[in-house]
Amino acid sequence: MILKSQVEWALHCCAILAGLPEGRYLSTKALAELHGLPKEYLSKALQSLSQASLVETTLGPSGGYRLAKTPSDINFLEIVEAVEGKARSFTCTNIRANNPCRPEGYCDSKPCAVARIMWEADEAWRDTLRRVRLSDLVGTLSEEVPADIWRRTFEWVLKRAG
Amino acid sequence: MILKSQVEWALHCCAILAGLPEGRYLSTKALAELHGLPKEYLSKALQSLSQASLVETTLGPSGGYRLAKTPSDINFLEIVEAVEGKARSFTCTNIRANNPCRPEGYCDSKPCAVARIMWEADEAWRDTLRRVRLSDLVGTLSEEVPADIWRRTFEWVLKRAG
DNA sequence: GGAATTAAGGATATATCATATCCGAAAACC
DNA sequence: GGTTTTCGGATATGATATATCCTTAATTCC
Ligand code: FES
Ligand code: FES
């Protein structure tokens, strides 16, 4: 069970977009260069964010992406689910129904106890991600990333933002 | 991000083994029949449980598997990790290091803030699984599975247990 | 001792999914 | 009108999950 690398990409891209001044857009090309990622494939991740209405886009030169909501209105789970999908990590194939001792046509009233526990754990994972806002991440990063790197990065970004 | 179906298989097999009388073994063949699973492939899952020292085995006719510990000393996480591996679901490829604005040879002191949050969620998932004991599952199942099916199942199992 | 049964592990095949690239269409800017 | 951009579809490649087969060694039963 491993998350796709797109998750890391999407989260970092959102963190950058969160630092963009009101009304400006940043292109896939710039985001790919900044993170050293394949532009075409990163584009798929950004499209996922777009379909989830987390980012807005505009075409043409000076086009690109910007956040569709303020960073405090976006949480980690939204971003992760946008690229990873909303499906639960555990899928029950109902093997209990194969028990030869069950009467023909017997129908279970509840989901299997095993599945319920696995889903509870899945929900705990989602809850943790839901509680972290994009603005929290930006706050942590601005504290931890050395001030000169942080400043130069956003100068670099602004030079390319349309 | 999807767990392998072996996880469901292993959990259900452990639930059955938990109901086995002291000192008896149950074969892969019986466990596969009971759950309607491919015997050869289920065998791989059981081997994983064996390597994790969750079950003990013996060879020959009347051989098979039994739990290596009491059901209250086994938790869900142990079983899940035995077949799924202990690797974290989020892997950081350190894309922040590709930032062209970083000085040559700059070395981060901490893991990335993004990764720390994803790992925290992962830990919440594991914590939930760690808190559920195999004995808890058996308790729930014995309450929820209709008494006659439950009884017939273990008659079926005992007939095949060596 | 010999035949049958079983777990363990290696080799291999297949299907599904993640990763990655390419292209054409439509929109926006100059 | 030409350029730049997002978007979606098509396609290729690699990794992993699923599944089967076969050999070996240990154990049981006759
Ligand atoms: S039958 Fe699927 S988890 Fe129990
Ligand atoms: S660099 Fe990997 S999560 Fe930030």
Side-chain angles (χ1 to χ4, degrees):
Chain A
M1 184 195 60
I2 193 84
L3 292 166
K4 10 189 174 189
S5 51
Q6 298 223 10
V7 171
E8 183 182 6
W9 303 359
L11 288 166
H12 272 277
C13 286
C14 284
I16 294 295
L17 293 181
L20 220 51
E22 185 78 22
R24 315 274 300 267
Y25 293 88
L26 193 60
S27 72
T28 307
K29 182 157 172 286
L31 286 166
E33 261 183 67
L34 181 60
H35 296 111
L37 301 173
K39 177 167 103 59
E40 316 283 349
Y41 193 31
L42 171 62
S43 163
K44 301 295 183 187
L46 297 172
Q47 281 174 40
S48 300
L49 294 178
S50 174
Q51 281 166 357
S53 302
L54 294 176
V55 298
E56 292 169 344
T57 69
T58 188
L59 297 181
S62 87
Y65 294 88
R66 71 177 176 201
L67 293 184
K69 305 191 268 183
T70 58
S72 56
D73 276 342
I74 300 180
N75 63 47
F76 263 54
L77 183 62
E78 293 178 278
I79 300 172
V80 171
E81 283 188 338
V83 306
E84 190 64 35
K86 300 192 177 193
R88 286 192 276 222
S89 60
F90 178 87
T91 54
C92 168
T93 59
N94 211 32
I95 60 175
R96 61 177 174 172
N98 300 329
N99 184 337
C101 305
R102 284 169 44 127
E104 199 69 28
Y106 172 76
C107 196
D108 296 289
S109 51
K110 283 188 188 185
C112 178
V114 171
R116 295 207 310 271
I117 292 165
M118 295 304 295
W119 292 338
E120 190 190 323
D122 194 276
E123 198 46 45
W125 179 75
R126 293 187 142 78
D127 262 342
T128 305
L129 295 180
R130 211 180 339 248
R131 273 195 283 268
V132 182
R133 295 173 298 181
L134 181 55
S135 52
D136 299 329
L137 173 65
V138 175
T140 307
L141 286 175
S142 67
E143 281 172 22
E144 291 183 359
V145 174
D148 56 328
I149 298 184
W150 185 260
R151 182 181 46 75
R152 278 211 300 273
T153 300
F154 278 100
E155 282 170 7
W156 188 97
V157 162
L158 281 180
K159 206 179 300 174
R160 286 157 181 83
Chain B
M1 183 195 59
I2 194 82
L3 292 165
K4 11 188 175 190
S5 51
Q6 299 224 9
V7 171
E8 183 184 7
W9 305 358
L11 288 166
H12 272 276
C13 286
C14 285
I16 293 295
L17 293 181
L20 220 52
E22 185 78 22
R24 316 272 303 265
Y25 291 88
L26 193 61
S27 72
T28 308
K29 183 158 169 285
L31 286 167
E33 262 182 65
L34 181 62
H35 297 111
L37 301 174
K39 178 166 104 58
E40 317 283 349
Y41 193 32
L42 171 62
S43 163
K44 301 295 183 187
L46 297 172
Q47 282 174 42
S48 299
L49 294 178
S50 174
Q51 282 168 355
S53 301
L54 295 176
V55 298
E56 292 170 344
T57 70
T58 187
L59 295 181
S62 87
Y65 295 87
R66 71 177 178 201
L67 292 183
K69 305 190 267 183
T70 60
S72 56
D73 276 341
I74 300 180
N75 62 48
F76 262 54
L77 183 62
E78 292 177 279
I79 300 172
V80 171
E81 283 188 338
V83 306
E84 189 65 36
K86 300 193 177 193
R88 286 192 276 223
S89 60
F90 179 87
T91 54
C92 168
T93 59
N94 211 30
I95 61 175
R96 63 178 173 172
N98 299 328
N99 184 336
C101 304
R102 284 167 45 125
E104 200 68 30
Y106 172 76
C107 197
D108 296 290
S109 51
K110 283 189 188 186
C112 177
V114 171
R116 295 207 310 272
I117 292 165
M118 295 304 296
W119 292 338
E120 190 190 323
D122 193 276
E123 198 45 47
W125 179 75
R126 294 187 141 78
D127 262 342
T128 304
L129 294 180
R130 213 180 338 249
R131 273 195 283 267
V132 182
R133 295 172 299 179
L134 181 54
S135 52
D136 299 329
L137 172 65
V138 175
T140 307
L141 286 176
S142 67
E143 281 172 22
E144 291 184 357
V145 174
D148 56 327
I149 298 184
W150 185 260
R151 182 180 46 74
R152 277 211 301 274
T153 300
F154 278 102
E155 283 169 6
W156 188 98
V157 162
L158 281 179
K159 206 178 300 174
R160 285 157 181 84

